[in-house]
Amino acid sequence: MRLARVLGTVVSSKKHPAYEGLRVMLCQPVRHDGQGYGPQVVAVDRVQAGPGEQVLLLTEGNGVRH
């Protein structure tokens, strides 16, 4: 799990069928002090987060599959 800030929504004309009906967001990982680090990542939004909000990024395990 990593803490991240939502930067915005990713828009595309085509999506992989697995992502149909899901929102895809651009996120910036952040340190405990709120400072961004590393590359931005694309994440599937399952909690209806919006730009500027802090979220947890799940990268492995059962939480990712649900």
Side-chain angles (χ1 to χ4, degrees):
M1 252 188 306
R2 294 190 292 176
L3 187 60
R5 183 175 305 107
V6 177
L7 300 176
T9 304
V10 175
V11 180
S12 68
S13 57
K14 291 212 145 221
K15 282 185 182 179
H16 187 280
Y19 296 114
E20 285 299 322
L22 298 173
R23 227 166 51 150
V24 181
M25 307 295 284
L26 183 63
C27 298
Q28 175 66 57
V30 295
R31 293 187 174 93
H32 68 280
D33 62 1
Q35 293 297 316
Y37 74 95
Q40 297 170 352
V41 296
V42 174
V44 174
D45 178 19
R46 296 206 178 251
V47 296
Q48 299 175 344
E53 292 185 318
Q54 287 193 349
V55 295
L56 287 176
L57 294 177
L58 301 178
T59 57
E60 58 183 86
N62 287 331
V64 175
R65 287 187 278 277
H66 296 289

